[in-house]
Amino acid sequence: MTTPAHSHSRKSRVVAIDPALLQEAARQAWRKFAPAEAEKNPVMFVVLVGTLVTAAITVQRVVSGAGFGFELACSLILLFTVWFAHFAEAVAEARGRGQAASLRSARRDLSARRLLEQHAEGRNESVAATTLRKGDRVLVLVLTGEYVPADGEITQGIATINESAVTGESAPVLREAGTDHSGVIGGTKVLTGDIVVTVSTDPGESFLDRMIGLVEGAKRQKTPNELALTVLLAALTLVFLIAVTSLPPMAGFMGVQLDTVMLIALLVCLIPTTIGGLLPAIGIAGMNRALQANIIAKSGKAVEVAGDIDTLLLDKTGTITFGDRQATEFLAVDGIPQQRLIAAAVLASLQDPTPEGKSVLRLAQERGHTLPAMPSGATFIPFTALTRISGLQQADGSHCIKGAGEAVKRWAELQRLALPPRLNTLVEQVAQQGATPLVVADSSAILGVIALSDVIKPGVAERFAKLRALGVKTVMVTGDNPLTAGAIAAEAGVDAFIAEALPEDKLNLIRQEQRAGRLVAMVGDGTNDAPALAQADVGLAMNAGTQAAKDAGNMVDLDSDPTKLLAVVEVGKQLLITRGALTTFSLANDVAKYFAIVPAVFAGSLPAIATLDLMQLHSPRSAVLAALIFNALIIPALVPLALKGVRLRVQSAEQLLRNNMLIYGLGGVALPFAAIKLIDLILALFL
Amino acid sequence: MFEIILIVTTALLLAWPLGRYMAAVFSGAPHVSDRLFLPLENLLYRLLGIAPTQGMDWKRYGAAFLFSNLVLGLLVFGLLLLQHRLPLNPDGIGPLSWDLALHTAISFLTNTNQQHYSGQAQLSYLSQSVVIVTLQFVTPAMALAICVAVLRGMMGGRQVDGAADNSERDLGNYYVDVVRSVVRLLMPLAAFMALLLTSQGVPSTYQGAANVALVDASVETQEQTIPLGPVAAMVAIKQLGTNGGGWYGPNSANPLENPTPLSNAIETIAIVLLPMATVFMAGYMLQRRGFALMSLAAMGLLSALCIGASVYSERLPNGAFAELATAGANMEGKEVRFGPDLSALWATFTTQTSNGSVNAMHDSLNPVAGLVTRVGMLVNAIWGGVGCGFVNFLVYVWITVFLAGLMIGRTPEIFGRKIETREITLLGALIVLPTLCILVFTAITLAVPAITGHSNPGFHGISQVFYEYTSAFANNGSGFEGLGDNTPWWNLSCVVVLLLGRYLPLVLPLMIAGSLARKRVAPVTSGSLRLDTPTFCLTLVSVILILNFLSFMPATVLGPIGEALALAQPTTIVTEVLP
């Protein structure tokens, strides 16, 4: 029993950028000046060194009594360039911590009854939840309204649990030992049933703790693509370092002395500070987006790989269709009016708590039938494994029942009712369409058949179309016969399906796809999914699932909503696109900065070069300051984009590249020309 | 202009079938020409002790490349040092200084042909025709072999089917690739071209220099010595193998090296023929016609822009003669018979292809054309040198694929193989290398004017030094001249730059290809980056331009750009710094 999809119930969780968060981030940004933090980012490290040198020159000029306004201004702008980069990272971290804290707060100050003997009835001791270790068995009693003290698996008992503290979903969920839905989360409240839970993680090692680690800079490991990009940016930084330091000797040959502060300004403007400053924030924000979707990734790499997925392996049930079958048709036998069949079916389902029963009422309403009140004196006959029928016994002793074909026939025999000649044909007809027949009868006759069939979730086909456009192939896995599977596959718009699938078929398919060079993602919850989850490049385990599945997968969905996989793919792609787009933007920006600073550097000594001052800036100093200010301000200006991610449009790779090149490449060349000129005009008023 | 179009079109039309033939040569499949070439090849394999069927992974391929270069280098250095004691020296030319011998050996070993000596005066016939000509055949073949191995690596190596994931792949046999490119490609082409040049009057003899009486009896000199030799053969391979080192000091500006308009056209075509054909060859070897067309478009676009700028610039008058001569194109340092168009075309091609032969004085080019020659060498991948040009181009492609791949939201991959941290680290080294070699050495040299040996002060002096190291790093070999470059500092510093500029840009890409070859291939989907589209082509061109612009703009501002701007304002810097 999984909780229904609630992709929009997450809103409450999204931590807005509020002033308190910004203040905290601003404080953190200063702390990141510590040397241990600074050396992790080669680009910003160079800026920091440049800041120290300009600061030293400023001090020297103050001491020697020379004018120091320009040098001081440069030092301050450089300082803030580094600070802005730290600030961007700190904002992303603070948001992540905010989200994680709301998850973590649920499990503070819990106590647990640790079992000292094998039996649940045996002695137990009360301990703090934080002292629980992996493998401990704890008893959770419903009577006292207890909370589950730690992540674990129910090894004894059955319970309904309110997981809203963690998932934001208030409808209770059913968890049972020995099933595919035996997983429980620490901090959730048990509503019914006493259970024994075996703790699955040591303190500080839960998925949640790992996720918190992913959004906190100190523990964060760089993802593979992030690492590669960092190397590229370091190489570019080195290129610019050489390009700038080789200038003084060349200028010296011309008999010209270059100003050190101007050279540092040139260096800082050329090295890719924009992407260098935002890179950590982009990575953290990607993890945050996953966390916002209630996905807990075990590593940042898993989220990044999700963007590369070629094939999505999806269970039909629960992912493509609602897990429960729903009434889709009333088929009356010959001689029975449709209305009589519907009326009987409604009575038989009035008190039926199962989703199937509710769907009968819904279909009846859709067919224009008004639901009656529960007749007085009637009693509900619940479904039992023995009778396999359910229904209603009215005050006069008459029945309205529905049930599986054979069960109803047996009941009819006992009631001495005749079998209508067309009944078998109807039952077979329904079964052939891949639906389940329920036979309806009242005390006087067998009335007809209700067809229960899979209903495809709304919006699924659109999402698959979107994935196809992004180059992701979807494969549906189902135990249905090929006919039924084909019909559903066609309706849902998946690219391929496996019918009559055995558990090992998933693993085989994943291996086969991987041999062909494809990266495969899959969703699973059962213990028999574990090998496939481990084999898949992205294995998304349902939190409600077994511990084996959660251990095998590299992500866990707290909502246990299989369609989340699509969201993960988007998060992964967005992560890479944002990095690529901002790198392109950062490099493209350099062109304009060159034309602002290079003429300024040589302005005093080599007037011929003034022709390169395309922007006609006010003065060499205002040009340098304008370029530096632009260079610094562009970082906070792009923080929202870094946190939100570049919007992923549904386009082919070719279109994506063209649009991103136009916006971030061409735009990256053009924007700074306008911005630097504007800043220069403003500066001209003061200088 | 018509001649330019004719020459370029002919080159492209010849390159296409040639590229197809080259792909066949390196595929090793049976070919109709086997009966002609196989006996000679088998003889060479036996002499060198090579098992031609033995495959090599990238490590062994690279090691064989470096080892063969070491052996050749030592051999050549020794021969040059001892040339005065060896035969084939009818004019009794003396020994070279050790640093000049080292520079000359390395210069030819690296397919650069940068000359700090003056050809006909300082080298014996043995040195010229055995030492240098041998290297002029073998070194382009070596770079072509690396290029072929890199292309094989990008396809997962030979016998890719059935190869286990992450296993080292067979990139071919280095010695076989070198032998085949010499025997089946360079020798037949050069022989044919030498005949064509001989028919145009280029000398082709082993006789000593001719002594002739001057036509004008009124001058003091009664007799002139005209050096001769097997010039046609050497000019053929000098042009075809992107070598550039001429028989005569003035290179193809000398009427004996380049006597007629037809010989000039043939020699111009020969500069770009093999580099263009390599693009077609890559298309056949990668089985990707679209990629070859995109490469052709990217290189063609950059080349056309450069030719246009260069020709335009040379048709303008020379600023230095503004008030002296009548208005007209810049004819300083040019052969009147070639004029501005054909000189500018040659200058553009020879610097784009790392050839370095000249038919006009590059020192006398107008600033924009001078800048174009530098752009060609700095990019070093617009056609580029035989073999190494396309390898350099692939480096730009890989960098662009990395950026573009991120921008479409996938781990960057080329032909299904992912570009990851290892590849990027090697690419990062290749990005830093040009600035490190060119700018650092330029800065050091200029910081100590005593060692510079420049003949010009100011912007032009910086231009000369910058040009020399750029030419050395790009393994181009053309000189800005006007530089007293036969000094220990110039010889030794250039040796360092030559070695770094030759071996790292060939070996590092081979490492990348070896690493790519091992990777599992992802199938192409609509989410994959396509390399055969105009979008990618323009992205690639932008990356090439911006990367070089960002690396070298400050230095060029102090060199040719500053010079151009100063010339545009004749009252400023020029008059100021002239002594």
Side-chain angles (χ1 to χ4, degrees):
Chain A
M1 191 179 293
T2 55
T3 54
H6 279 273
S7 53
H8 46 81
S9 68
R10 262 356 100 216
K11 291 273 162 54
S12 56
R13 268 293 199 57
V14 177
V15 181
I17 301 187
D18 59 57
L21 185 146
L22 291 182
Q23 276 175 15
E24 167 61 19
R27 263 196 304 280
Q28 285 295 328
W30 288 113
R31 258 174 231 154
K32 287 176 188 291
F33 277 97
E37 292 270 340
E39 71 188 29
K40 277 190 290 191
N41 190 331
V43 181
M44 280 303 147
F45 183 73
V46 171
V47 184
L48 190 58
V49 172
T51 314
L52 294 176
V53 175
T54 43
I57 293 173
T58 312
V59 170
Q60 186 207 338
R61 289 182 73 96
V62 171
V63 171
S64 67
F68 59 90
F70 173 70
E71 288 74 14
L72 182 65
C74 285
S75 308
L76 287 176
I77 299 169
L78 292 184
L79 182 69
F80 273 96
T81 308
V82 184
W83 186 83
F84 282 138
H86 291 168
F87 178 70
E89 188 177 348
V91 169
E93 278 176 9
R95 287 195 344 149
R97 261 200 299 275
Q99 282 160 13
S102 75
L103 294 177
R104 191 143 61 173
S105 64
R107 56 178 63 191
R108 276 193 208 121
D109 309 325
L110 292 173
S111 66
R113 298 165 196 274
R114 183 157 63 192
L115 286 173
L116 298 170
E117 289 167 23
Q118 277 302 306
H119 300 289
E121 294 75 25
R123 289 186 302 124
N124 61 61
E125 57 173 0
S126 186
V127 295
T130 48
T131 63
L132 291 172
R133 291 287 178 276
K134 192 173 175 177
D136 280 352
R137 295 167 70 244
V138 292
L139 181 66
V140 187
L141 298 176
V142 61
L143 279 175
T144 43
E146 284 183 355
Y147 289 87
V148 178
D151 289 358
E153 187 169 20
I154 304 179
T155 44
Q156 213 175 318
I158 176 168
T160 52
I161 294 175
N162 183 339
E163 293 188 338
S164 61
V166 175
T167 64
E169 170 55 54
S170 56
V173 295
L174 186 73
R175 299 285 181 258
E176 188 176 0
T179 66
D180 284 350
H181 305 294
S182 58
V184 286
I185 317 172
T188 56
K189 189 175 182 182
V190 178
L191 299 178
T192 65
D194 300 340
I195 48 174
V196 174
V197 172
T198 301
V199 177
S200 60
T201 52
D202 286 334
E205 286 177 14
S206 67
F207 297 142
L208 193 60
D209 292 316
R210 285 198 223 176
M211 193 71 191
I212 293 168
L214 289 182
V215 297
E216 282 182 345
K219 296 175 208 155
R220 207 170 68 88
Q221 294 269 321
K222 288 192 173 105
T223 56
N225 278 309
E226 189 182 358
L227 196 62
L229 185 54
T230 308
V231 171
L232 184 69
L233 295 180
L236 288 170
T237 305
L238 195 53
V239 165
F240 295 125
L241 200 59
I242 296 170
V244 172
T245 47
S246 68
L247 278 183
M250 292 194 208
F253 178 78
M254 308 274 293
V256 169
Q257 183 88 36
L258 296 178
D259 182 45
T260 312
V261 173
M262 288 227 181
L263 286 177
I264 290 173
L266 176 62
L267 174 64
V268 169
C269 281
L270 295 186
I271 62 177
T273 47
T274 310
I275 179 65
L278 293 172
L279 196 53
I282 295 170
I284 295 166
M287 299 305 129
N288 283 347
R289 281 198 296 279
L291 195 56
Q292 263 172 32
N294 265 354
I295 302 256
I296 292 182
K298 291 188 191 171
S299 69
K301 186 183 173 188
V303 176
E304 206 181 73
V305 167
D308 287 346
I309 289 302
D310 299 296
T311 306
L312 270 188
L313 213 57
L314 298 161
D315 276 325
K316 184 199 74 176
T317 310
T319 311
I320 296 171
T321 62
F322 289 106
D324 35 18
R325 298 182 159 224
Q326 304 198 356
T328 49
E329 216 171 341
F330 294 112
L331 300 162
V333 296
D334 291 342
I336 301 289
Q338 178 93 355
Q339 283 310 312
R340 188 178 161 194
L341 169 67
I342 297 178
V346 165
L347 280 177
S349 308
L350 263 184
Q351 293 229 313
D352 187 346
T354 65
E356 288 88 348
K358 287 182 181 143
S359 76
V360 171
L361 299 183
R362 202 160 46 238
L363 182 67
Q365 278 178 310
E366 280 168 24
R367 296 287 153 89
H369 195 92
T370 17
L371 297 186
M374 182 74 180
S376 60
T379 48
F380 175 62
I381 309 166
F383 176 89
T384 67
L386 194 71
T387 60
R388 296 174 63 212
I389 57 172
S390 68
L392 199 70
Q393 184 173 19
Q394 304 205 43
D396 60 359
S398 67
H399 292 84
C400 282
I401 58 112
K402 65 181 194 295
E406 290 308 309
V408 175
K409 277 185 210 163
R410 254 198 327 275
W411 180 85
E413 263 173 48
L414 291 173
Q415 304 280 327
R416 297 168 200 288
L417 298 179
L419 286 185
R422 275 252 295 154
L423 181 66
N424 280 342
T425 337
L426 278 180
V427 167
E428 273 165 33
Q429 186 188 322
V430 169
Q432 262 175 9
Q433 287 164 357
T436 309
L438 275 186
V439 179
V440 181
D442 63 15
S443 291
S444 53
I446 291 180
L447 304 171
V449 176
I450 306 171
L452 293 177
S453 39
D454 267 347
V455 176
I456 291 176
K457 288 183 172 180
V460 163
E462 289 77 21
R463 296 187 103 163
F464 290 163
K466 190 173 171 183
L467 283 168
R468 193 171 305 111
L470 293 170
V472 181
K473 182 175 109 173
T474 44
V475 180
M476 180 181 90
V477 182
T478 172
D480 291 344
N481 64 54
L483 210 66
T484 315
I488 292 171
E491 198 183 332
V494 295
D495 297 299
F497 65 88
I498 314 177
E500 292 170 352
L502 301 170
E504 61 265 30
D505 285 347
K506 274 188 198 171
L507 185 60
N508 291 338
L509 181 76
I510 292 173
R511 290 203 172 128
Q512 183 190 324
E513 291 283 305
Q514 286 175 337
R515 264 197 297 277
R518 297 191 181 89
L519 294 181
V520 187
M522 76 160 278
V523 177
D525 49 12
T527 300
N528 58 20
D529 283 335
L533 278 171
Q535 179 73 32
D537 300 282
V538 171
L540 178 61
M542 301 291 98
N543 191 49
T546 58
Q547 193 56 41
K550 281 191 275 186
D551 284 343
N554 48 15
M555 287 183 206
V556 176
D557 177 18
L558 293 177
D559 297 338
S560 301
D561 170 11
T563 56
K564 280 289 189 56
L565 205 44
L566 317 187
V568 179
V569 170
E570 287 179 15
V571 170
K573 283 198 180 294
Q574 248 189 343
L575 197 58
L576 295 191
I577 293 178
T578 309
R579 284 193 201 127
L582 290 184
T583 305
T584 306
F585 184 78
S586 199
L587 289 177
N589 275 192
D590 279 3
V591 177
K593 293 185 210 159
Y594 253 124
F595 283 109
I597 297 193
V598 169
V601 169
F602 299 112
S605 40
L606 304 171
I609 291 168
T611 321
L612 288 180
D613 182 12
L614 300 180
M615 286 171 272
Q616 300 290 307
L617 300 178
H618 174 69
S619 72
R621 292 188 160 192
S622 77
V624 169
L625 288 177
L628 276 181
I629 290 173
F630 170 79
N631 194 51
L633 287 182
I634 196 72
I635 297 176
L638 289 173
V639 163
L641 182 70
L643 296 186
K644 219 167 62 202
V646 171
R647 195 160 66 88
L648 178 64
R649 293 185 189 80
V650 183
Q651 286 171 330
S652 69
E654 163 76 6
Q655 287 168 314
L656 270 176
L657 179 63
R658 192 186 312 141
N659 287 339
N660 285 331
M661 275 304 287
L662 284 176
I663 298 171
Y664 299 98
L666 214 56
V669 173
L671 173 74
F673 276 103
I676 290 174
K677 177 69 186 171
L678 185 67
I679 298 171
D680 181 74
L681 285 175
I682 296 169
L683 284 176
L685 299 175
F686 300 100
L687 293 173
Chain B
M1 185 47 94
F2 172 72
E3 283 167 297
I4 292 176
I5 294 170
L6 191 70
I7 287 173
V8 174
T9 316
T10 313
L12 277 169
L13 287 178
L14 290 172
W16 187 357
L18 184 61
R20 187 174 192 145
Y21 169 73
M22 286 160 73
V25 165
F26 293 112
S27 75
H31 194 264
V32 283
S33 59
D34 282 350
R35 283 177 57 174
L36 187 64
F37 297 123
L38 258 186
L40 178 59
E41 285 171 7
N42 286 333
L43 181 70
L44 284 170
Y45 296 149
R46 267 202 298 280
L47 283 175
L48 295 168
I50 295 163
T53 50
Q54 181 74 47
M56 294 176 171
D57 60 25
W58 74 265
K59 285 180 195 149
R60 292 171 62 195
Y61 204 100
F65 168 64
L66 293 175
F67 174 72
S68 60
N69 274 271
L70 181 67
V71 171
L72 266 182
L74 290 173
L75 208 66
V76 167
F77 180 52
L79 283 171
L80 287 178
L81 273 183
L82 300 173
Q83 66 167 357
H84 54 294
R85 301 195 185 160
L86 295 169
L88 279 181
N89 189 5
D91 298 323
I93 292 171
L96 297 174
S97 68
W98 73 271
D99 55 292
L100 183 59
L102 182 67
H103 177 268
T104 306
I106 299 297
S107 165
F108 282 88
L109 186 67
T110 55
N111 187 236
T112 308
N113 301 16
Q114 192 173 42
Q115 290 157 299
H116 288 174
Y117 66 93
S118 189
Q120 75 276 26
Q122 280 179 286
L123 290 192
S124 70
Y125 281 180
L126 181 86
S127 298
Q128 287 259 25
S129 64
V130 177
V131 174
I132 285 179
V133 171
T134 304
L135 287 183
Q136 289 189 331
F137 273 100
V138 175
T139 57
M142 287 168 162
L144 192 55
I146 296 283
C147 176
V148 164
V150 168
L151 290 172
R152 287 184 188 131
M154 291 175 74
M155 296 295 284
R158 298 194 299 182
Q159 287 111 37
V160 62
D161 296 329
D165 277 338
N166 213 20
S167 61
E168 291 292 355
R169 301 303 171 86
D170 170 10
L171 301 187
N173 183 305
Y174 167 73
Y175 297 105
V176 171
D177 289 334
V178 173
V179 166
R180 284 175 87 97
S181 45
V182 171
V183 171
R184 296 188 183 225
L185 187 66
L186 294 171
M187 289 207 321
L189 270 179
F192 180 65
M193 186 174 157
L195 286 176
L196 284 181
L197 289 178
T198 310
S199 77
Q200 295 301 303
V202 179
S204 200
T205 172
Y206 268 109
Q207 283 172 11
N211 289 317
V212 290
L214 291 180
V215 179
D216 185 354
S218 64
V219 290
E220 270 180 35
T221 318
Q222 291 302 307
E223 201 182 53
Q224 191 181 0
T225 305
I226 296 177
L228 295 173
V231 182
M234 186 166 163
V235 169
I237 191 59
K238 156 195 108 171
Q239 296 299 95
L240 282 168
T242 53
N243 290 298
W247 185 273
Y248 298 103
N251 212 296
S252 282
N254 183 309
L256 289 178
E257 260 192 59
N258 188 5
T260 67
L262 185 59
S263 75
N264 188 62
I266 293 168
E267 290 181 22
T268 309
I269 289 170
I271 294 177
V272 286
L273 182 61
L274 279 171
M276 277 180 179
T278 309
V279 181
F280 289 101
M281 178 192 81
Y284 288 111
M285 286 190 65
L286 298 169
Q287 294 157 28
R288 279 181 171 82
R289 184 196 173 94
F291 179 70
L293 284 175
M294 187 285 295
S295 308
L296 213 56
M299 291 187 188
L301 179 65
L302 288 168
S303 194
L305 286 174
C306 287
I307 294 171
S310 186
V311 169
Y312 171 78
S313 155
E314 288 314 290
R315 285 185 179 185
L316 294 177
N318 185 326
F321 300 149
E323 279 143 37
L324 303 176
T326 49
N330 173 20
M331 287 303 292
E332 185 195 310
K334 288 191 181 59
E335 288 289 289
V336 177
R337 41 204 188 106
F338 302 138
D341 284 17
L342 294 179
S343 301
L345 177 67
W346 184 301
T348 310
F349 273 160
T350 197
T351 43
Q352 284 176 346
T353 57
S354 102
N355 186 304
S357 65
V358 292
N359 73 349
M361 189 77 153
H362 286 192
D363 193 24
S364 306
L365 293 175
N366 272 338
V368 172
L371 183 65
V372 165
T373 60
R374 234 145 314 188
V375 169
M377 288 190 286
L378 291 173
V379 173
N380 208 10
I382 312 171
W383 316 121
V386 173
C388 47
F390 199 74
V391 171
N392 288 339
F393 180 77
L394 286 175
V395 169
Y396 288 114
V397 170
W398 287 328
I399 294 169
T400 309
V401 164
F402 183 76
L403 282 180
L406 289 181
M407 273 195 284
I408 62 158
R410 281 179 73 93
T411 298
E413 55 195 19
I414 181 160
F415 307 147
R417 294 167 200 276
K418 288 191 168 33
I419 297 180
E420 292 164 298
T421 309
R422 178 182 156 83
E423 289 76 29
I424 286 295
T425 309
L426 294 167
L427 287 173
L430 286 166
I431 293 174
V432 176
L433 194 62
T435 29
L436 190 69
C437 290
I438 298 171
L439 294 183
V440 168
F441 277 97
T442 304
I444 294 174
T445 305
L446 288 172
V448 191
I451 54 176
T452 308
H454 58 88
S455 58
N456 292 286
F459 292 122
H460 197 77
I462 294 178
S463 274
Q464 286 178 322
V465 176
F466 183 57
Y467 192 102
E468 186 74 3
Y469 286 116
T470 307
S471 170
F473 180 79
N475 292 164
N476 182 289
S478 69
F480 222 50
E481 302 310 331
L483 198 64
D485 50 17
N486 183 13
T487 66
W489 167 256
W490 275 117
N491 285 335
L492 296 180
S493 65
C494 281
V495 162
V496 173
V497 175
L498 285 168
L499 290 173
L500 290 174
R502 170 72 168 183
Y503 295 105
L504 291 182
L506 285 175
V507 173
L508 296 188
L510 184 68
M511 288 171 78
I512 294 173
S515 166
L516 286 176
R518 286 199 300 265
K519 299 195 183 198
R520 179 176 273 174
V521 184
V524 174
T525 68
S526 62
S528 313
L529 178 66
R530 287 181 55 184
L531 304 193
D532 55 354
T533 62
T535 311
F536 184 81
C537 182
L538 288 176
T539 308
L540 173 63
V541 169
S542 317
V543 166
I544 291 175
L545 288 177
I546 288 200
L547 214 54
N548 285 291
F549 173 84
L550 295 184
S551 301
F552 295 109
M553 159 97 171
T556 45
V557 160
L558 284 175
I561 293 178
E563 192 181 358
L565 297 174
L567 286 176
Q569 307 170 309
T571 50
T572 57
I573 192 70
V574 170
T575 51
E576 201 173 288
V577 293
L578 278 172

